């Protein structure tokens, strides 16, 4: 007997027929003698709709009420799956985040899980009852208010619950049958990976591969949760194992580059002819940090006269206008000549632990992109990845070019 967490994403619970299919996957594990906690997302499209309703009701909505609204999608699917399980003779009950409770910080809209009391779930297992848990949501204890964990947060609910109840495994069921070398919807030649290292998965997720929420990978890594990504569309009677997220040591054949990720959620700002003196970078970036604006790539160019410099950097698209307004307000203090912005940019990244021991990996990409006529606006590198910022219109061409360049195309 094992203890399992099974998580089903939005497309897997998109309607009653699919919820019945999910119930069959759960039934298989229960009949194999396992204790099962299921975590469900809202039906696909539901969370977007709820978010849009909040924005429609008010431009400056109260984030606590936003959480009250958007957490409701998961309440619906948890109840429906419990009903579908009961219907086929499996004991089940739904759990909302606050009932468990899943305690979180008070950062409404992107709260962090602080602790989970697994005792109620364990009592349910003793009664031979499947726990069907609403993902994405928790409660802030001091205020008693509902919270949500950020978009894609049900992945994190699942992994954190697996850690809390000491599950033997956490299976993330989704609409693809594992983690691929890049988004299989963009590159048909993408290959499914049998295994991917925690560090690589962390980079892939934070650089745009939305198959797992970044925090879920962090939690899996810290608590050593054995996590698989697999398909809910496999035959429930005969499913494939999917991709295991594991320690680097457990990967036998290590490629130099494991995957290519891309993020469209980028915006570029350039300050022209800023006076080149000590403290100028601080004068720009400290206020942005204080406004909670995450700056990613930064390039500073010394100009000919050595008195002024150009500074280019990127921010998430949602913060673009705010960052622009903040800098415009400081135009006199910073003394720049002009502020330019671009929203139609994309960040393409290559990730691989093998980069640690191989030189010139990024240089090959620069050459290959140049040969396709793709101009690079900014570059960043670190130990196991590099990223380039390019015009959004070249996204697919660039991802495919790098995928082929690093030998990732399937035969
Ligand atoms: P769910 O609703 O199940 O949480 P998501 O839409 O959040 O599913 O994540 C699954 C999607 O992630 C896939 O449909 C795929 O398009 C996308 N994706 C992006 N990068 C990758 C990758 N490297 N491997 C697999 N899927 C990826
Ligand atoms: N329903 C939430 C979202 O779309 C959480 C999730 O699906 O993981 O972001
Ligand atoms: Mg998801």
């Amino acid at each position: 007997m094992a203890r399992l967490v099974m998580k089903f994403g939005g497309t897997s619970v998109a309607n009653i027929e699919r919820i019945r299919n999910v119930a069959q996957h759960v039934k298989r594990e229960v009949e194999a003698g396992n204790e099962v906690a299921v975590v469900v997302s809202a039906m696909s499209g539901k969370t977007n709709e709820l978010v849009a309703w909040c924005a429609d009701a008010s431009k400056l909505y109260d984030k606590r009420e936003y959480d009250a609204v958007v957490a409701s999608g998961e309440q619906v699917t948890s109840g429906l799956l419990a009903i579908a399980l009961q219907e086929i003779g499996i004991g089940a009950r739904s759990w909302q985040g606050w009932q468990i409770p899943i305690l979180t910080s008070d950062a409404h809209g992107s709260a962090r899980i602080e602790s989970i009391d697994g005792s109620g779930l364990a009592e349910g297992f003793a009664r031979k009852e499947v726990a069907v848990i609403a993902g994405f949501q928790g409660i802030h204890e001091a205020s008693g208010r509902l919270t949500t964990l950020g978009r894609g947060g049900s992945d994190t609910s699942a992994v954190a619950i697996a850690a809390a109840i000491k599950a033997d495994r956490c299976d993330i069921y989704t609409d693809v049958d594992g983690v691929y070398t890049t988004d299989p919807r963009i590159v048909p030649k993408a290959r499914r990976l049998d295994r991917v290292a925690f560090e690589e998965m962390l980079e892939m997720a934070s650089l745009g591969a939305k198959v797992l929420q970044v925090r879920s990978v962090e939690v899996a890594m810290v608590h050593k949760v054995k996590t698989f990504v697999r398909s809910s569309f496999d035959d429930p009677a005969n499913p494939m194992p999917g991709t295991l997220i594991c320690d680097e040591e457990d990967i036998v054949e290590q490629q130099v580059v494991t995957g290519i990720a891309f993020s469209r959620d980028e915006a570029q700002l350039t300050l022209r002819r800023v006076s080149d003196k000590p403290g100028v970078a601080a004068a720009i970036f400290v206020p942005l940090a204080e406004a909670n604006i995450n700056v990613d790539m930064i390039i500073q160019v010394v100009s000919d006269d050595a008195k002024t410099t150009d500074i280019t950097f990127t921010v998430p698209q949602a913060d673009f206008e705010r960052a622009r307004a903040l800098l415009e307000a400081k135009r006199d203090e910073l003394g720049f000549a002009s502020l330019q912005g671009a929203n139609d940019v994309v960040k393409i990244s290559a990730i691989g632990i093998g980069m640690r021991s191989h030189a010139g990996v990024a240089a090959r990409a620069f050459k290959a992109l140049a040969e396709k006529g793709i101009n690079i606006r900014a570059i960043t590198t670190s130990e196991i990845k590099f990223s380039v910022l390019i015009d959004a219109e070249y996204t697919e061409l660039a991802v495919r070019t790098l995928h082929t360049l690093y030998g990732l195309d399937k035969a």
Side-chain angles (χ1 to χ4, degrees):
M1 184 189 74
R3 187 173 275 190
L4 305 183
V5 172
M6 305 172 76
K7 180 258 171 179
F8 294 89
T11 33
S12 308
V13 294
N15 53 46
I16 302 298
E17 192 192 328
R18 294 214 180 139
I19 290 176
R20 284 200 190 102
N21 174 63
V22 164
Q24 291 299 326
H25 280 282
V26 176
K27 182 171 181 237
R28 176 189 70 240
E29 300 295 1
V30 171
E31 289 184 342
N34 299 314
E35 293 177 339
V36 180
V38 187
V39 174
V40 285
S41 290
M43 291 179 177
S44 65
K46 194 70 212 174
T47 310
N48 286 345
E49 184 183 45
L50 296 169
V51 169
W53 284 349
C54 291
D56 200 7
S58 161
K59 274 208 171 59
L60 288 172
Y61 51 76
D62 180 339
K63 284 205 151 187
R64 292 163 298 191
E65 302 308 343
Y66 165 93
D67 277 350
V69 173
V70 300
S72 67
E74 275 71 11
Q75 175 162 347
V76 172
T77 45
S78 62
L80 287 172
L81 179 59
I83 293 173
L85 285 165
Q86 291 165 5
E87 181 70 14
I88 56 171
I90 309 278
R93 71 153 278 191
S94 65
W95 291 86
Q96 305 310 300
W98 63 269
Q99 292 172 319
I100 292 178
I102 296 175
L103 301 182
T104 75
S105 70
D106 64 353
H108 286 277
S110 59
R112 278 182 174 273
I113 294 179
E114 285 173 348
S115 70
I116 297 177
D117 180 353
S119 57
L121 301 176
E123 286 164 22
F125 295 148
R127 292 192 297 270
K128 301 257 176 261
E129 187 182 84
V130 172
V132 187
I133 301 160
F136 186 47
Q137 47 163 273
I139 184 168
H140 176 243
E141 194 171 28
S143 63
R145 304 293 308 249
L146 291 190
T147 54
T148 62
L149 308 178
R151 298 307 305 270
S154 297
D155 296 330
T156 305
S157 308
V159 177
I161 287 162
I165 64 172
K166 301 198 168 42
D168 299 281
R169 214 169 73 215
C170 180
D171 287 341
I172 308 280
Y173 288 84
T174 180
D175 55 5
V176 283
D177 58 358
V179 177
Y180 277 69
T181 46
T182 192
D183 190 338
R185 294 187 203 286
I186 295 275
V187 181
K189 286 183 187 160
R191 263 190 298 124
R192 195 183 61 78
L193 299 161
D194 284 333
R195 291 173 176 227
V196 56
F198 285 120
E199 288 84 351
E200 289 172 330
M201 194 63 237
L202 206 52
E203 292 287 6
M204 282 170 75
S206 45
L207 294 167
K210 75 163 188 167
V211 61
L212 287 176
Q213 198 197 33
V214 180
R215 279 185 203 161
S216 71
V217 187
E218 286 168 3
V219 176
M221 190 161 138
V222 170
H223 296 278
K224 299 251 172 262
V225 178
K226 193 171 180 189
T227 304
F228 286 85
V229 174
R230 53 195 299 191
S231 172
S232 70
F233 296 113
D234 283 349
D235 176 2
N238 191 20
M240 303 302 287
T243 301
L244 173 65
I245 324 294
C246 62
D247 284 325
E248 164 181 356
E249 295 76 43
D250 298 330
I251 296 178
V252 195
E253 249 180 279
Q254 190 66 62
Q255 307 284 324
V256 177
V257 171
T258 309
I260 312 292
F262 59 93
S263 164
R264 293 197 165 94
D265 180 23
E266 308 289 324
Q268 177 188 333
L269 286 156
T270 299
L271 291 159
R272 296 256 179 240
R273 282 188 274 130
V274 186
S275 44
D276 196 6
K277 57 180 188 221
V280 66
I284 296 168
F285 295 114
V286 170
L288 290 169
E290 281 168 359
N292 258 325
I293 296 174
N294 232 332
V295 173
D296 180 19
M297 307 170 113
I298 302 179
I299 302 179
Q300 179 170 348
V301 191
V302 182
S303 51
D304 293 346
D305 58 7
K307 287 191 190 119
T308 61
T309 175
D310 289 352
I311 296 183
T312 292
F313 59 93
T314 61
V315 297
Q317 284 205 353
D319 293 328
F320 180 54
E321 290 303 338
R322 228 156 42 91
R324 209 214 288 259
L326 202 150
L327 292 170
E328 277 296 353
K330 288 185 169 287
R331 185 186 273 259
D332 290 344
E333 184 190 328
L334 296 170
F336 56 85
S338 68
L339 173 58
Q340 294 162 353
N343 239 327
D344 49 353
V345 290
V346 63
K347 183 172 69 179
I348 315 274
S349 308
I351 298 111
I353 280 174
M355 279 190 212
R356 278 192 204 130
S357 47
H358 286 78
V361 180
R364 289 172 60 201
F366 305 154
K367 185 157 174 279
L369 294 174
E371 280 166 7
K372 300 279 181 190
I374 301 173
N375 187 40
I376 299 175
R377 291 165 166 260
I379 302 169
T380 52
T381 64
S382 74
E383 209 183 13
I384 66 163
K385 58 114 189 181
F386 70 86
S387 305
V388 293
L389 190 74
I390 61 167
D391 291 344
E393 61 180 304
Y394 297 117
T395 307
E396 296 186 8
L397 178 61
V399 172
R400 287 182 186 154
T401 300
L402 299 191
H403 198 264
T404 305
L405 175 71
Y406 295 116
L408 299 175
D409 290 356
K410 74 175 165 213

